[in-house]
Amino acid sequence: MLQECSENCGWIAAVVAALAYGSFGVPIKSKTSSRLDIDPLVMQTYKTVTCFLTCWLVVGLGEPIRFTPWGIVSGLFWVPGATCGIFGIRNAGLAVAVGTWSSIIVVVSFAWGILVFKEGVKHAGSAACAICLLISGLLGMARYSSPSKNSHPTQTTPADKLQTSEHETSQDIEIDDFAEEAVSKRKRVTSQRSMIAGVPGDGIDGNNKTTVVEETTTSAATAAALTSSEMYSLEMEPLVEGKSKLKEGAKDPHEVLIVLFQGRLPLTRRQAGILGAVINGAWGGTNLIPMHYAHKDGFGGANYLISFATGSMLVMIVCWMIRWAYVYFAAGGSLSVMDSYRSLPGFHLRQMWIPGFLAGTLYSIGNFCSILAVTYLGQGVGYSFCQSAMLVSGLWGIFYFGEIKGKEIICKWIMSALVTIAGMIWLSYEHEGSASH
């Protein structure tokens, strides 16, 4: 069926991909996932499983069941990169994260498509200028998607503090079904990290000074009252310290300090999120490059989807094995095989199956359409055009999540969006001939 598609199919697919890619992060930032503080690898697992389950639908379109090892290579790029991208969305915001990695992906795709694969454009210089215009718009949207520091109060009077304290203590605490699990998770992870760090179980160091490992309160009410910054440490990756705190004098939750690699790289939560988005753009953004090399074996378009999804599923399993191995061996034998398994982040299937699989479905639609766009338009034009997803995610950020506030900032964002659209139109004009290969 898809063999009869023309270049127009590529443009339609690119638009649909942009809509899907710009929306898949919405369930990731849903109230449920934010409240549970789902680990990025868990959310990526939902996406990967959904991608694997839905890839077989192409058989109904007349595509044969075939597999190429290049699908595993695509998975090696996509799974780790997309996991970092989820981390970026959760910590830097949907609009900022998508804008950051979209800009990088445009550069990477253009370099591979025009310089490496020699894809047809009318004028290489004009295409490069169109790419620069597109990137400028994306960077502008990312810049004006950042919350203004002025939107956060910098000074609080004693009367305000007293009023806030009385208000907080008078509120009824809602105890939900995951409160007890949060306490159990906190104790288990903290105990594990104590053994990894060499801290004695009784919390006393060599100088007979008490080492505070965790709060001893175990009531469900206290668990329900955990703040987002406290919950944040429950589901972080093993390379992140179990401590997260606000910078001195900071009131913005995005200024929570995250200590990476055992203290070697302290970053704010926003900085760590942007770093995750950069990794997703530079590494994860090359996930369709292997499809070009699979073309000589007859793969391309929809018939590459099964290889992509199967390869990604295999990589996902390996990632979980590596994570378990890190926990097990970092403990130096202090944890059993099952204890190491239990310390892995939970899937919260009862609460997360809807947002998890919804995010996976939206991404699968975007992935399928982006494969078609790259097949018929080329890597440089097709995949770059798909990064207009930033327009969609930005609109979600403005009207749904309220990430962008203030008429002046919104107007600047809209102006940047218009620049992006102009770059997209210019880039589409520079495309020459069919890139199906």
Side-chain angles (χ1 to χ4, degrees), residues 2 30 34 85 107 165 180 198 210 296 305 313 363 368 380 394 410:
L2 294 176
S30 66
S34 297
V107 175
S165 176
E180 293 289 354
T210 302
K296 63 180 181 181
L305 188 61
M313 194 67 187
Y363 186 88
F368 173 70
I410 292 178

Side-chain angles (χ1 to χ4, degrees), residues 54-66 302-303 305-306 368:
T54 56
C55 75
W56 307 102
L57 295 177
V58 299
V59 177
L61 298 177
E63 298 293 341
I65 299 178
R66 301 171 60 203
N303 65 10
L305 188 61
I306 293 178
F368 173 70

Side-chain angles (χ1 to χ4, degrees), residues 22 62 132 158-159 165 231 296 347 351 355:
C132 290
S165 176
M231 288 289 293
K296 63 180 181 181
F347 279 76
Q351 299 96 339

Side-chain angles (χ1 to χ4, degrees), residues 55-311:
C55 75
W56 307 102
L57 295 177
V58 299
V59 177
L61 298 177
E63 298 293 341
I65 299 178
R66 301 171 60 203
F67 179 78
T68 172
W70 286 109
I72 299 177
V73 181
S74 288
L76 288 172
F77 284 114
W78 178 55
V79 173
T83 302
C84 293
I86 293 172
F87 179 81
I89 291 175
R90 296 291 305 280
N91 294 282
L94 179 64
V96 173
V98 176
T100 300
W101 78 54
S102 294
S103 304
I104 297 174
I105 289 176
V106 168
V107 175
V108 172
S109 297
F110 181 80
W112 277 95
I114 307 302
L115 303 179
V116 178
F117 299 131
K118 307 297 182 182
E119 294 171 351
V121 290
K122 294 179 180 177
H123 304 284
S126 297
C129 291
I131 288 292
C132 290
L133 187 64
L134 178 58
I135 293 173
S136 298
L138 291 173
L139 290 176
M141 286 190 291
R143 165 65 179 85
Y144 297 117
S145 296
S146 303
S148 173
K149 292 183 179 180
N150 296 330
S151 63
H152 302 287
T154 56
Q155 293 184 355
T156 305
T157 64
D160 292 335
K161 292 181 179 179
L162 179 60
Q163 183 178 1
T164 301
S165 176
E166 291 175 350
H167 174 70
E168 290 176 350
T169 54
S170 64
Q171 285 182 325
D172 293 331
I173 299 176
E174 179 184 355
I175 302 176
D176 48 40
D177 54 1
F178 70 92
E180 293 289 354
E181 183 178 358
V183 173
S184 175
K185 184 76 173 180
R186 186 181 184 90
K187 284 187 172 184
R188 186 167 67 247
V189 173
T190 307
S191 175
Q192 166 207 328
R193 287 171 177 161
S194 298
M195 287 184 282
I196 294 176
V199 178
D202 58 4
I204 307 297
D205 61 17
N207 297 322
N208 293 324
K209 295 179 181 179
T210 302
T211 302
V212 179
V213 178
E214 63 171 323
E215 296 177 350
T216 57
T217 306
T218 59
S219 66
T222 302
L226 287 174
T227 64
S228 61
S229 61
E230 291 172 324
M231 288 289 293
Y232 176 73
S233 64
L234 302 181
E235 298 289 352
M236 276 303 299
E237 66 271 17
L239 293 180
V240 178
E241 290 261 340
K243 298 178 181 178
S244 59
K245 59 182 180 180
L246 286 173
K247 293 172 64 178
E248 185 176 355
K251 296 182 180 297
D252 187 352
H254 288 96
E255 295 300 311
V256 172
L257 281 176
I258 299 175
V259 183
L260 300 174
F261 303 106
Q262 299 179 349
R264 297 184 183 91
L265 184 61
L267 297 173
T268 65
R269 187 169 181 175
R270 178 173 296 278
Q271 290 170 342
I274 293 176
L275 177 60
V278 170
I279 295 174
N280 184 36
W283 180 263
T286 59
N287 66 82
L288 292 183
I289 298 297
M291 184 176 68
H292 294 265
Y293 296 99
H295 174 67
K296 63 180 181 181
D297 297 324
F299 288 89
N303 65 10
Y304 186 72
L305 188 61
I306 293 178
S307 298
F308 179 96
T310 304

Side-chain angles (χ1 to χ4, degrees), residues 322-373:
I322 292 174
R323 181 148 181 182
W324 171 86
Y326 174 86
V327 173
Y328 179 77
F329 290 106
S334 301
L335 294 177
S336 66
V337 172
M338 289 306 300
D339 286 338
S340 299
Y341 169 76
R342 294 189 187 99
S343 69
L344 295 175
F347 279 76
H348 303 282
L349 188 61
R350 185 173 62 176
Q351 299 96 339
M352 281 302 301
W353 75 270
I354 293 180
F357 286 109
L358 179 58
T361 300
L362 288 171
Y363 186 88
S364 297
I365 294 173
N367 185 52
F368 173 70
C369 291
S370 66
I371 288 176
L372 294 180

